[in-house]
Amino acid sequence: MTNQDKEKLSGASKRMSLLFVIIFFALAVLIFRLSFVQLSQGERFLASAETNRYIELSIPAPRGSIYDRDKVELVGNKPAFTITYQILSGVGQNPMDLIGELHQIFEMTPEEMYEKMDPQAEKYGRTIARKIISDAKPQQVAYVREHANELPGINVVVEPIRSYRFNNSGSHVLGYLNNIDEEEWPSYKEKGYQQNEIVGWAGVEKQYEEYLHGQNGKLKVEVNRNYQPMQDKRTEDPVKGHDLILTLDKDLQAATEQALKDQVQALKGSVSTVEHAAAIAMNPKTGEILSMASYPDFDPNMYIKGFSTKEYNEQILPGIMNRAIQQVYQPGSTVKMSTVLIGLKEGMIYPGSGLYDSGAIQVGWTIDGKPNMIASWQALGYVDPVKALAVSSNVYMIDIFKRLGKYNDYMSNAEVSTFLDSYLPASMKKILAYHSEFGLGKVKTGVDLPYEEKGSVTEEKNAGDLAFSAIGQSEHYTLMQLAQYVSTIANDGKRMEPHIVSEIIGPDNKSVKKFQPKMLNKISFTDEQIDLVQRGMRDVIAQPYGTFYSVLHDFRYPVAAKTGTAETGRGTENSLFVGYAPYDNPEVAIAIIIPDNKKNSHSYDSVGPIAHKMFDTYFKLKEQKQLTP
């Protein structure tokens, strides 16, 4: 070996040694780094790996149940299969392919299914599972499970769903559930709701949402590469919502609803304008609502199962409004008790004040200079305050308010100016202030239901305001207001706050809150004045000339009442009834309306069968199970 060869070999050996040192150093650094990661950050990376393998889901808490006063369950929960859609990342998922394959199986249009899936995350966050079908059919569940590997993001989960045991019965009081409205989502988010939850939208479901909702649980679910569940591990159990005990009686509620339906259908055969009716029964001494019905009604279960636009328009929309609290009506002659009370209080009449009702009374003049006459329903002869109520004399009532407003038909121009500028507005203000004591007008009754409307009054700024206010033609009041009004008279002037819920029961079956009777105010009339109008109401039933004598004069309990008809301005009349029984110790007060009845109809024909059915059912139930508290 030459020296030159030895030098080449020595150089190569040095380079190999340097390379070995470099490789050794690199391996040492790598081992050190792996050791550091394993020892100091292993738990963090393990958690990250677990996160990649698991997803955390919210377990819906069963909502609290709703019972009637006898602890009969009206609304509960049942286990059901829900089909959901989850947006996936890094997975071959084509929403349109899923829609094309499933929409017929799911019995939806492609547009309906796309809206529920929200694949572009326009409504919900990307991580939230969308509910496509609640209470899915067995064949739908079977299809999804059999084709799980072909349907990335489509899952079947078991969850409690709402069940309205008696379908349409009590639907307006109970309410219904629906998705969280976009505008309300921020407030629900602050309360810890998931965006895809359903919440109360009406009735006690909405009014008592915070109690009924419950506390959702948490579930860790191991998933495969398609984000479909393999096995789960519960980390936090859900807590059921609070139960509600209502003041309603299931049987009286059903009888009230059936009576409304039967009578509307009977009238509709000859009166095409009759489409709706509403009725309320309440305890005048406690404010407990015993029944509240609005016809037509709807089935809240449809909001759980889902519905088409056609089904909504035909089966839900006509009956979605609770006409007992959300609609205002001219009350007609049912306000005449307040007219008499105001007349007594203001000294316009006295218990023995009499007047001859010739069938009409003049209120000003027509444009062509003729007397403007407002009629009673017929010439009623001599009437005093009690008989004027029994026979429903318009003449007597209008005369009271004409004198209250210092109006006569032969005033000079100066006197007319004084009347219009001073006496008329002051008198109307006084009348409406008195009405508000009963809960009538621009006040709310306090009933524990959402969307309660206030009343209103139409004023034309002329003498007609006084006349029409005296007989219930210018006012627009809810049926709930009229029920509270007649209850106040029945309860000797004490106005009670109406309520639907009597008790709230916690998840541990312990009472959280009991609602006690609450008096809102005592009307500013003497006991003697109230007694006089009570006697007039009794004679509506007890005297042969009373306007409701033919319906209830022989009823086994003494009833006091007032009927009413009010012109609507649409060529129709509202038929009304308010009353209570027993007369000497009231237990139940009732208010009924059938809007848009034919002109010149009689309340004893139209609302009579409903009133009789409600009183009869109440007292039969009382005898069977002691309905009163």
Side-chain angles (χ1 to χ4, degrees), residues 365-515:
W365 306 85
T366 62
I367 296 175
D368 56 3
K370 295 180 180 179
N372 180 50
M373 306 301 291
I374 298 179
S376 285
W377 61 282
Q378 66 177 35
L380 298 169
Y382 181 84
V383 292
D384 60 14
V386 172
K387 188 172 183 180
L389 287 171
V391 297
S392 199
S393 170
N394 284 348
V395 170
Y396 194 91
M397 304 301 160
I398 292 172
D399 182 71
I400 293 173
F401 277 8
K402 281 179 67 175
R403 286 188 279 127
L404 178 68
K406 295 180 173 58
Y407 176 83
N408 71 73
D409 300 304
Y410 298 94
M411 294 188 294
S412 65
N413 290 337
E415 290 172 325
V416 169
S417 296
T418 301
F419 167 76
L420 293 175
D421 294 339
S422 179
Y423 296 148
L424 177 62
S427 298
M428 288 302 299
K429 184 178 180 181
K430 184 176 291 186
I431 291 166
L432 298 181
Y434 279 127
H435 278 201
S436 69
E437 291 186 32
F438 295 99
L440 300 170
K442 297 180 181 179
V443 294
K444 290 188 176 182
T445 65
V447 65
D448 51 340
L449 289 173
Y451 312 126
E452 182 190 9
E453 280 292 324
K454 296 180 182 179
S456 63
V457 177
T458 301
E459 295 184 61
E460 300 292 341
K461 309 300 183 184
N462 58 46
D465 291 346
L466 292 172
F468 291 132
S469 182
I471 60 175
Q473 283 293 155
S474 61
E475 303 91 339
H476 295 78
Y477 296 153
T478 68
L479 192 68
M480 185 71 253
Q481 288 182 323
L482 293 176
Q484 187 181 55
Y485 155 70
V486 71
S487 293
T488 302
I489 295 173
N491 197 30
D492 298 327
K494 295 182 283 291
R495 183 167 76 104
M496 307 302 292
E497 183 177 70
H499 62 279
I500 294 287
V501 174
S502 66
E503 188 175 6
I504 300 175
I505 307 294
D508 56 359
N509 290 323
K510 294 182 180 179
S511 180
V512 172
K513 184 176 183 180
K514 289 186 177 181
F515 294 84

Side-chain angles (χ1 to χ4, degrees), residues 316-335:
I316 297 179
L317 184 60
I320 198 67
M321 175 185 285
N322 183 355
R323 298 178 186 278
I325 64 170
Q326 292 180 259
Q327 182 69 287
V328 294
Y329 305 95
Q330 295 98 326
S333 296
T334 59
V335 304

Side-chain angles (χ1 to χ4, degrees), residues 540-584:
V540 169
I541 304 295
Q543 295 297 334
Y545 50 73
T547 56
F548 221 63
Y549 174 82
S550 62
V551 181
L552 290 168
H553 76 277
D554 57 353
F555 191 68
R556 61 189 183 279
Y557 290 90
V559 179
K562 185 70 190 78
T563 59
T565 56
E567 294 184 12
T568 64
R570 299 184 294 273
T572 60
E573 290 182 349
N574 295 334
S575 299
L576 300 104
F577 170 91
V578 296
Y580 60 90
Y583 167 67
D584 50 355

Side-chain angles (χ1 to χ4, degrees), residues 252 279-285 288-291 480 482-491 537 560 577-582 586-592 614-615 618-619:
L252 182 59
I280 297 170
M282 65 184 287
N283 185 321
K285 296 180 179 179
E288 293 174 293
I289 303 296
L290 305 174
S291 70
M480 185 71 253
L482 293 176
Q484 187 181 55
Y485 155 70
V486 71
S487 293
T488 302
I489 295 173
N491 197 30
M537 294 177 70
F577 170 91
V578 296
Y580 60 90
E587 296 176 13
V588 58
I590 287 174
I592 306 167
M614 291 176 70
F615 278 124
Y618 171 83
F619 286 106

Side-chain angles (χ1 to χ4, degrees), residues 49-50 52-57 145 148-149 154-157 219-234:
E50 287 290 307
N52 290 335
R53 212 156 47 89
Y54 288 88
I55 58 174
E56 188 171 272
L57 301 177
R145 286 180 168 173
N149 292 331
I154 301 293
N155 296 312
V156 175
V157 297
L219 184 70
K220 256 190 175 182
V221 181
E222 185 176 5
V223 295
N224 60 20
R225 65 185 185 89
N226 289 330
Y227 274 65
Q228 291 162 331
M230 298 167 61
Q231 56 185 343
D232 58 64
K233 178 182 179 182
R234 188 166 297 204

